[in-house]
Amino acid sequence: MKAIERDPNVTFTVIGDYAFIPGPWRAKPDIPPTEGIPTSYYAAVQFTCRAHLVDDPEAKAELLRRQLAHFQPDGDHALVAVDRPPYGRMLSGIRGLRLQVIDVRAKFTHDDHKPVEQRADIADRLTERGQDLDVPTARQQRRRLDRLGPWIALTPTPHARTEERSPS
Protein backbone atom coordinates (compact mmCIF):
# COMPACT_ATOMS: atom_id res chain seq x y z
CA MET A 1 0.00 0.00 0.00
CA LYS A 2 2.91 2.33 0.60
CA ALA A 3 3.97 1.91 -3.03
CA ILE A 4 0.44 2.82 -4.15
CA GLU A 5 0.48 5.87 -1.88
CA ARG A 6 3.68 7.00 -3.63
CA ASP A 7 2.49 6.16 -7.16
CA PRO A 8 -1.17 5.27 -7.77
CA ASN A 9 -0.48 3.99 -11.30
CA VAL A 10 -0.87 0.22 -11.16
CA THR A 11 -1.23 -2.76 -13.46
CA PHE A 12 -3.81 -5.45 -12.80
CA THR A 13 -3.47 -8.67 -14.79
CA VAL A 14 -5.96 -11.52 -15.15
CA ILE A 15 -4.90 -14.80 -16.75
CA GLY A 16 -7.27 -17.64 -17.36
CA ASP A 17 -7.92 -20.71 -19.49
CA TYR A 18 -4.22 -21.64 -19.47
CA ALA A 19 -3.06 -25.00 -20.81
CA PHE A 20 0.23 -26.42 -22.09
CA ILE A 21 -0.08 -28.00 -25.54
CA PRO A 22 2.54 -30.73 -26.21
CA GLY A 23 4.46 -30.64 -29.48
CA PRO A 24 3.03 -33.88 -30.91
CA TRP A 25 -0.51 -32.45 -30.69
CA ARG A 26 0.54 -29.53 -32.93
CA ALA A 27 2.63 -31.39 -35.49
CA LYS A 28 1.71 -30.74 -39.11
CA PRO A 29 0.24 -33.83 -40.83
CA ASP A 30 3.34 -34.32 -42.99
CA ILE A 31 5.98 -34.31 -40.21
CA PRO A 32 6.72 -36.74 -37.38
CA PRO A 33 4.78 -35.93 -34.17
CA THR A 34 8.05 -35.61 -32.24
CA GLU A 35 8.94 -32.59 -34.41
CA GLY A 36 5.84 -30.65 -33.37
CA ILE A 37 6.50 -27.44 -31.46
CA PRO A 38 4.84 -27.13 -28.01
CA THR A 39 2.98 -24.00 -26.98
CA SER A 40 0.55 -22.69 -24.40
CA TYR A 41 -3.03 -21.58 -24.91
CA TYR A 42 -4.17 -18.77 -22.65
CA ALA A 43 -6.31 -15.72 -22.26
CA ALA A 44 -4.71 -12.70 -20.58
CA VAL A 45 -6.04 -9.22 -19.94
CA GLN A 46 -3.93 -6.43 -18.51
CA PHE A 47 -5.51 -3.32 -17.05
CA THR A 48 -3.57 -0.11 -16.54
CA CYS A 49 -5.29 1.64 -13.64
CA ARG A 50 -5.16 4.54 -11.26
CA ALA A 51 -5.58 3.18 -7.75
CA HIS A 52 -7.64 4.99 -5.12
CA LEU A 53 -7.14 3.88 -1.53
CA VAL A 54 -10.29 3.59 0.57
CA ASP A 55 -9.80 4.22 4.29
CA ASP A 56 -13.13 5.78 5.32
CA PRO A 57 -14.99 3.22 7.51
CA GLU A 58 -18.37 3.71 5.80
CA ALA A 59 -16.77 3.51 2.33
CA LYS A 60 -15.00 0.28 3.35
CA ALA A 61 -18.29 -1.09 4.69
CA GLU A 62 -19.91 -0.32 1.32
CA LEU A 63 -17.13 -2.17 -0.51
CA LEU A 64 -17.63 -5.15 1.78
CA ARG A 65 -21.43 -5.06 1.24
CA ARG A 66 -20.90 -5.11 -2.52
CA GLN A 67 -18.45 -8.00 -2.23
CA LEU A 68 -20.81 -10.03 -0.08
CA ALA A 69 -23.74 -9.29 -2.41
CA HIS A 70 -21.70 -10.72 -5.26
CA PHE A 71 -20.18 -13.75 -3.53
CA GLN A 72 -23.05 -14.52 -1.13
CA PRO A 73 -26.11 -13.34 -3.08
CA ASP A 74 -28.46 -15.33 -0.82
CA GLY A 75 -27.68 -12.87 1.95
CA ASP A 76 -26.42 -15.55 4.35
CA HIS A 77 -24.13 -13.16 6.20
CA ALA A 78 -24.36 -10.65 9.01
CA LEU A 79 -25.33 -7.04 8.38
CA VAL A 80 -22.32 -4.93 7.39
CA ALA A 81 -22.38 -1.74 9.42
CA VAL A 82 -19.64 0.41 10.90
CA ASP A 83 -21.13 0.25 14.39
CA ARG A 84 -22.25 -3.41 14.47
CA PRO A 85 -20.46 -6.72 14.98
CA PRO A 86 -18.97 -8.72 13.48
CA TYR A 87 -17.74 -6.53 10.62
CA GLY A 88 -17.76 -3.12 12.32
CA ARG A 89 -14.89 -3.97 14.62
CA MET A 90 -12.84 -5.43 11.72
CA LEU A 91 -13.07 -2.45 9.37
CA SER A 92 -10.12 -0.67 11.01
CA GLY A 93 -7.84 -3.53 9.85
CA ILE A 94 -9.02 -3.35 6.23
CA ARG A 95 -7.90 -1.03 3.45
CA GLY A 96 -9.97 -0.84 0.32
CA LEU A 97 -8.79 -0.22 -3.19
CA ARG A 98 -10.76 1.11 -6.13
CA LEU A 99 -9.23 0.82 -9.58
CA GLN A 100 -10.02 3.35 -12.28
CA VAL A 101 -9.27 1.63 -15.60
CA ILE A 102 -7.16 3.79 -17.91
CA ASP A 103 -6.21 1.24 -20.58
CA VAL A 104 -6.85 -2.42 -21.44
CA ARG A 105 -4.66 -4.83 -23.36
CA ALA A 106 -5.62 -8.41 -24.09
CA LYS A 107 -4.00 -11.43 -25.66
CA PHE A 108 -5.61 -14.73 -26.53
CA THR A 109 -3.51 -17.54 -27.97
CA HIS A 110 -5.39 -20.55 -29.32
CA ASP A 111 -3.58 -21.47 -32.57
CA ASP A 112 -6.07 -19.59 -34.73
CA HIS A 113 -3.69 -20.01 -37.68
CA LYS A 114 -3.86 -23.81 -37.46
CA PRO A 115 -6.37 -25.92 -39.44
CA VAL A 116 -9.80 -26.16 -37.82
CA GLU A 117 -9.62 -29.96 -37.60
CA GLN A 118 -6.34 -29.77 -35.69
CA ARG A 119 -7.71 -27.17 -33.28
CA ALA A 120 -10.81 -29.32 -32.64
CA ASP A 121 -8.55 -32.34 -32.05
CA ILE A 122 -6.48 -30.38 -29.53
CA ALA A 123 -9.69 -29.34 -27.71
CA ASP A 124 -10.69 -33.02 -27.53
CA ARG A 125 -7.24 -33.96 -26.19
CA LEU A 126 -7.39 -31.21 -23.57
CA THR A 127 -10.79 -32.48 -22.39
CA GLU A 128 -9.48 -36.03 -22.24
CA ARG A 129 -6.32 -35.01 -20.35
CA GLY A 130 -8.40 -32.97 -17.88
CA GLN A 131 -5.57 -31.40 -15.87
CA ASP A 132 -5.75 -28.01 -14.17
CA LEU A 133 -7.42 -25.59 -16.64
CA ASP A 134 -7.53 -28.01 -19.60
CA VAL A 135 -11.32 -28.30 -19.70
CA PRO A 136 -12.04 -24.53 -19.58
CA THR A 137 -9.34 -24.01 -22.22
CA ALA A 138 -10.96 -26.66 -24.44
CA ARG A 139 -14.35 -24.94 -23.98
CA GLN A 140 -12.79 -21.62 -25.03
CA GLN A 141 -11.30 -23.27 -28.11
CA ARG A 142 -14.68 -24.77 -29.03
CA ARG A 143 -16.39 -21.38 -28.57
CA ARG A 144 -13.83 -19.88 -30.93
CA LEU A 145 -14.45 -22.63 -33.48
CA ASP A 146 -18.25 -22.33 -33.13
CA ARG A 147 -18.05 -18.62 -33.99
CA LEU A 148 -16.47 -19.51 -37.33
CA GLY A 149 -19.80 -20.98 -38.43
CA PRO A 150 -20.55 -23.42 -41.25
CA TRP A 151 -18.28 -21.67 -43.80
CA ILE A 152 -15.19 -23.20 -42.22
CA ALA A 153 -15.77 -26.46 -44.07
CA LEU A 154 -15.47 -24.54 -47.35
CA THR A 155 -12.25 -22.75 -46.43
CA PRO A 156 -9.10 -24.59 -47.54
CA THR A 157 -6.45 -24.90 -44.89
CA PRO A 158 -2.77 -24.37 -45.74
CA HIS A 159 -1.82 -27.83 -44.46
CA ALA A 160 -4.73 -29.78 -45.93
CA ARG A 161 -3.68 -33.00 -47.64
CA THR A 162 -5.08 -33.81 -51.04
CA GLU A 163 -4.98 -37.21 -52.62
CA GLU A 164 -5.27 -38.00 -56.25
CA ARG A 165 -7.09 -41.18 -57.01
CA SER A 166 -7.28 -43.00 -60.26
CA PRO A 167 -10.77 -43.99 -61.36
CA SER A 168 -11.54 -47.54 -60.30
Side-chain angles (χ1 to χ4, degrees):
M1 294 296 188
K2 289 182 184 200
I4 292 171
E5 288 172 349
R6 283 191 305 274
D7 182 3
N9 298 303
V10 299
T11 302
F12 177 64
T13 303
V14 179
I15 299 173
D17 297 342
Y18 171 85
F20 176 78
I21 311 301
W25 295 7
R26 297 183 71 236
K28 294 177 183 177
D30 57 339
I31 66 167
T34 55
E35 292 182 20
I37 307 299
T39 193
S40 294
Y41 286 179
Y42 63 89
V45 180
Q46 189 174 61
F47 301 89
T48 301
C49 304
R50 185 164 209 57
H52 303 276
L53 291 169
V54 178
D55 288 318
D56 174 70
E58 184 53 43
K60 290 190 287 187
E62 179 55 26
L63 287 175
L64 186 53
R65 283 191 286 272
R66 290 181 65 190
Q67 233 178 359
L68 289 169
H70 176 79
F71 291 110
Q72 292 179 243
D74 294 338
D76 54 344
H77 55 80
L79 176 70
V80 179
V82 174
D83 57 350
R84 299 212 27 209
Y87 302 110
R89 67 178 178 267
M90 297 178 195
L91 291 174
S92 63
I94 297 173
R95 290 193 86 181
L97 191 64
R98 288 185 191 273
L99 299 178
Q100 175 188 1
V101 176
I102 306 299
D103 189 34
V104 179
R105 294 182 352 197
K107 183 172 182 179
F108 302 87
T109 63
H110 291 84
D111 269 344
D112 289 345
H113 63 287
K114 294 283 187 185
V116 169
E117 295 79 14
Q118 187 175 20
R119 292 163 53 200
D121 179 62
I122 288 173
D124 291 342
R125 289 173 182 240
L126 285 168
T127 301
E128 183 179 312
R129 186 173 70 183
Q131 296 175 356
D132 304 316
L133 294 174
D134 284 352
V135 173
T137 303
R139 278 195 304 264
Q140 172 69 356
Q141 180 68 290
R142 288 191 182 98
R143 277 192 302 271
R144 296 171 76 81
L145 292 170
D146 288 347
R147 281 188 303 211
L148 294 174
W151 67 271
I152 60 172
L154 305 175
T155 305
T157 59
H159 305 295
R161 291 184 184 175
T162 57
E163 293 180 25
E164 289 188 28
R165 292 188 171 178
S166 58
S168 354

